[in-house]
Amino acid sequence: MHEIDRLVAGIAPDPGPGTTPIARELLEEITSVSVPERRRRSWLALPRPRRWAAGPVLAALAALLSFGVAQAPASAALDIELVDDHYVITVKDLLAEREVYQRELRARGLDITLNLVPTSASQTGQMIVINDVDRLRSGKPVPDDGPITTIDAPGRCERFACPVGLKVPVGFDKKAEIILGRRALPGERYKMPPGIALPGEPLHCVDYVNKSVAEISALLRERGVTPSYIQYGKRAAPAAPDGWYVHDGVMSADGQALLLVGAEPSTQPSPMPPSRC
């Protein structure tokens, strides 16, 4: 398990199995929580298309994917188009009730559960695809490159992936799960926590691994972020020894970070790819 997985586990202490780090840690918690009813807010649901680090591009797919197929009704939460032998699916309303998504997917004969989870602005629109939930929950491995694939935004992407939609084969007959990041509302904790050095996050391109708790905490506070700390096998705490080492870090909510710390330096490689800076 990568060190960042342990941070995610500290945010979501009842993890379930999975094939990717976030899916493995968060699947069971995400699928067990119902989405409360909220008013639709167009400024949240329909963000302007930008580069990935600056914000989501999901709502712009209707313009990006001009296949000449009739658009879904304006009232629909999803835009589902039949293109050749695939459904092309994008989310139009990031704050619709969960049942609304399910109803529109079931109408196409798709046993796909769509879960929108709160995250930061930089992660809004990020997707995790679990192609075969039954196989996953039976403890068997599920390939990452399954029949459901993501559609990436055109142009340069500052993240490892910049999806704007999904392609699902017509006749897909398995039970699938899509976890999609939406912008967290005030006071919400992230269920899809981004690394503190990712594009759009407070320590982007800062090589923080094995720096002291005092140094990294000061950098975060200068950027308006309050850190908390977690050790292996311990609960998160508001303080840690200044001379300890920072092993990893994620944003846990707007203006809050969770740092994995220890008395000895980490032996794991930095989670920040040098090519991204």
Side-chain angles (χ1 to χ4, degrees):
M1 179 183 292
H2 193 279
E3 296 193 19
I4 200 168
D5 299 350
R6 302 180 188 277
L7 284 171
V8 174
I11 298 170
D14 295 314
T19 57
T20 65
I22 296 177
R24 182 171 59 250
E25 301 290 348
L26 298 181
L27 174 62
E28 291 300 332
E29 180 179 352
I30 291 169
T31 56
S32 65
V33 176
S34 60
V35 179
E37 181 178 359
R38 298 188 180 97
R39 293 182 179 179
R40 178 174 178 174
R41 300 180 183 180
S42 59
W43 61 278
L44 283 172
L46 298 175
R48 294 179 180 179
R50 305 178 188 175
R51 293 190 308 171
W52 183 261
V57 290
L58 287 177
L61 187 62
L64 296 174
L65 301 177
S66 300
F67 288 112
V69 183
Q71 300 295 316
S75 60
L78 301 176
D79 182 16
I80 304 177
E81 301 179 3
L82 180 60
V83 181
D84 298 327
D85 57 349
H86 283 76
Y87 290 112
V88 175
I89 304 174
T90 56
V91 179
K92 296 178 63 179
D93 185 353
L94 290 175
L95 290 177
E97 293 184 64
R98 180 175 176 177
E99 292 75 14
V100 175
Y101 303 124
Q102 304 316 124
R103 183 167 58 249
E104 295 182 20
L105 291 167
R106 298 293 188 272
R108 273 74 173 185
L110 299 173
D111 191 3
I112 297 176
T113 299
L114 175 63
N115 288 296
L116 274 74
V117 298
T119 190
S120 68
S122 74
Q123 286 281 87
T124 300
Q126 179 71 359
M127 295 181 191
I128 298 171
V129 179
I130 304 171
N131 278 278
D132 191 338
V133 173
D134 290 335
R135 182 179 177 86
L136 178 68
R137 288 180 173 165
S138 69
K140 299 176 182 179
V142 178
D144 292 335
D145 53 344
I148 300 178
T149 58
T150 58
I151 303 168
D152 285 346
R156 185 172 180 266
C157 174
E158 294 193 12
R159 294 188 51 81
F160 55 87
C162 294
V164 294
L166 295 165
K167 289 182 66 176
V168 182
V170 173
F172 179 76
D173 59 358
K174 298 185 183 302
K175 181 179 293 187
E177 183 109 16
I178 309 298
I179 302 169
L180 172 63
R182 63 160 174 81
R183 188 68 179 92
L185 298 175
E188 280 190 303
R189 292 182 67 79
Y190 297 160
K191 294 287 184 68
M192 187 185 284
I196 56 176
L198 289 178
E201 302 305 333
L203 296 189
H204 176 45
C205 285
V206 174
D207 187 10
Y208 64 87
V209 174
N210 288 332
K211 298 295 195 303
S212 71
V213 165
E215 179 182 353
I216 299 307
S217 298
L219 287 176
L220 287 169
R221 292 190 178 100
E222 288 173 3
R223 292 158 171 78
V225 176
T226 301
S228 57
Y229 311 89
I230 191 170
Q231 306 172 48
Y232 291 115
K234 302 287 184 66
R235 291 182 177 275
D242 285 346
W244 279 22
Y245 299 90
V246 175
H247 294 181
D248 212 332
V250 296
M251 297 299 295
S252 55
D254 286 354
Q256 298 180 40
L258 182 63
L259 302 180
L260 178 65
V261 301
E264 302 295 332
S266 172
T267 59
Q268 299 293 324
S270 172
M272 180 186 66
S275 62
R276 298 297 181 183
C277 297

